[in-house]
Amino acid sequence: MKIVIIGAGGRLGAALMREYRDKFEVSGFNRAQLDLSNFDDVREKLCGLDFDVLINAAAFTNVDLCETQREEAFRINAEAPRLLAEICHGKNAQLIHFSTDYVFDGEKRQPYNEEDRARPIGAYGESKLSGEKNVLAAPGDHLVVRVSWVFGPDRPTFIDTMIKRARENEEVNAITDKFSTPTYTLDIAEMLPRFFKGNVEGGILHFANAGECSWQEYGQFALDCCRRLGMALKAKTVGAAKLKDMTQWVARRPVYSVLSSAKYAKLSGSSPRAWRDAVADYIRRFYSSK
Ligand SMILES: NC(=O)c1ccc[n+]([C@@H]2O[C@H](COP(=O)([O-])OP(=O)(O)OC[C@H]3O[C@@H](n4cnc5c(N)ncnc54)[C@H](OP(=O)(O)O)[C@@H]3O)[C@@H](O)[C@H]2O)c1
């Protein structure tokens, strides 16, 4: 199986590169090596390559900047994926394209499944939804994988920020009224090969670690893990902040965007592990010696 990964310098793409290095014939492009907004370059670099699966982990992921740079966001998140799907079709290859829980409006109070209507409330979600549609409209069995609150060792996220703040300050806060599920890049890397070319029909697939939480619960659990490992923290508890206090945010964000992994469980015969187990695993592995 020959695999090419776009976004190899990002949080998810770098994890996939590392995890697949010994298992598949894998090559990758970071942004400096392949700019998705340059369609001629994309065509030129990919058309000359031989691969079975193309994984697109690159995206314009800055939710606030997408509001002010809409055109660029749509070019990278919506138009480029269409081109990638077309290139894959020409090579009889499969495109696996990553998308987001932010395609939903957040009004539901139960996990969103793949059939739920996507109704984004910001430019990032709009551009990503448009990208999903473009990929699925192209001929071929392409797969769109929606994930949420992605964390992992390759780029700092909320967990790392909370730990850093708790080491330096006696008081830390996080939002109590916004809910989703943290999802570990290594768990995504582990589950994805089941869906490689030939194993599954194309379409949309949700994947997140099991359970749900607010940012505050997420942060509190991370600090509890650190304390169990004996790490010195100045802050022991995570105080409450409200979504309405985030006045610096430009974009609206969905309040509730938990993804149901029921379809994944049905297709794979296994369920994702709980987000607490994944977070504990990450902290044990990457913070024990720090
Ligand atoms: N992070 C999350 O919580 C989250 C949640 C839901 C869904 N997702 C989705 O998961 C996927 C992976 O996200 P991630 O967390 O790994 O984000 P990330 O760390 O921001 O990675 C995205 C990568 O795309 C690259 N990129 C941006 N513009 C590009 C362009 N024009 N050409 C080529 N590469 C470009 C970025 O390069 P630079 O860093 O150099 O700009 C970065 O390496 C994305 O589809 C995202 O929408 C993420």
Side-chain angles (χ1 to χ4, degrees):
M1 186 71 75
K2 292 193 182 104
I3 298 170
V4 172
I5 297 172
I6 302 178
R11 181 176 301 121
L12 177 59
L16 297 178
M17 287 294 291
R18 189 181 48 254
E19 297 303 309
Y20 294 165
R21 207 166 35 205
D22 298 331
K23 299 186 182 111
F24 306 101
E25 205 176 304
V26 55
S27 56
F29 294 97
N30 62 26
R31 188 183 187 150
Q33 293 161 329
L34 180 72
D35 179 357
L36 277 185
S37 65
N38 182 340
F39 296 168
D40 288 338
D41 194 37
V42 172
R43 264 189 219 97
E44 195 181 309
K45 295 215 168 104
L46 293 180
C47 287
L49 280 179
D50 179 27
F51 53 83
D52 306 295
V53 178
L54 178 66
I55 300 176
N56 181 27
F60 190 152
T61 54
N62 186 316
V63 175
D64 287 325
L65 265 189
C66 283
E67 297 293 326
T68 48
Q69 298 181 17
R70 259 186 95 86
E71 209 174 302
E72 180 76 350
F74 272 79
R75 192 166 174 83
I76 296 163
N77 293 345
E79 295 309 320
R82 183 210 310 272
L83 175 60
L84 298 179
E86 286 167 2
I87 292 172
C88 284
H89 178 61
K91 292 175 168 294
N92 194 26
Q94 174 200 33
L95 174 64
I96 296 183
H97 174 69
F98 279 95
S99 192
T100 170
D101 52 327
Y102 275 35
V103 297
F104 293 113
D105 62 12
E107 295 298 323
K108 215 179 159 185
R109 289 296 173 268
Q110 279 169 2
Y112 283 93
N113 58 48
E114 290 80 354
E115 279 74 45
D116 281 320
R117 183 153 169 227
R119 217 169 356 205
I121 55 172
Y124 168 68
E126 283 173 39
S127 67
K128 292 292 288 183
L129 178 61
S130 193
E132 292 184 358
K133 289 181 176 164
N134 289 342
V135 166
L136 297 175
D141 270 347
H142 308 303
L143 189 66
V144 168
V145 184
R146 291 184 184 140
V147 290
S148 62
W149 288 9
V150 177
F151 71 94
D154 298 281
R155 242 182 210 194
T157 58
F158 176 77
I159 304 185
D160 311 283
T161 307
M162 290 311 275
I163 295 174
K164 185 170 184 294
R165 283 195 193 149
R167 280 172 151 171
E168 294 167 0
N169 306 284
E170 267 150 35
E171 209 177 294
V172 294
N173 295 313
I175 297 170
T176 53
D177 51 356
K178 181 167 160 39
F179 307 87
S180 192
T181 314
T183 303
Y184 193 13
T185 52
L186 300 196
D187 289 4
I188 299 172
E190 199 268 324
M191 75 83 188
L192 200 62
R194 273 180 216 133
F195 298 93
F196 282 177
K197 202 180 163 199
N199 297 338
V200 73
E201 281 177 18
I204 300 176
L205 184 74
H206 289 180
F207 182 84
N209 283 115
E212 54 186 75
C213 59
S214 67
W215 287 110
Q216 187 202 27
E217 289 170 292
Y218 183 11
Q220 185 64 59
F221 182 72
L223 298 198
D224 293 345
C225 289
C226 290
R227 284 181 57 212
R228 277 197 288 274
L229 286 172
M231 282 169 59
L233 300 178
K234 285 189 182 159
K236 290 182 179 53
T237 55
V238 177
K242 292 282 178 198
L243 251 185
K244 66 171 173 46
D245 299 330
M246 296 297 116
T247 47
Q248 73 279 24
W249 280 355
V250 178
R252 281 181 68 211
R253 287 143 164 93
V255 165
Y256 180 95
S257 57
V258 177
L259 298 175
S260 162
S261 296
K263 179 179 173 185
Y264 165 78
K266 200 167 162 213
L267 290 173
S268 69
S270 67
S271 296
R273 63 176 160 168
W275 70 265
R276 287 176 196 272
D277 293 339
V279 168
D281 194 7
Y282 168 70
I283 292 177
R284 212 170 22 242
R285 198 159 153 195
F286 296 99
Y287 278 92
S288 290
S289 57
K290 288 187 189 173

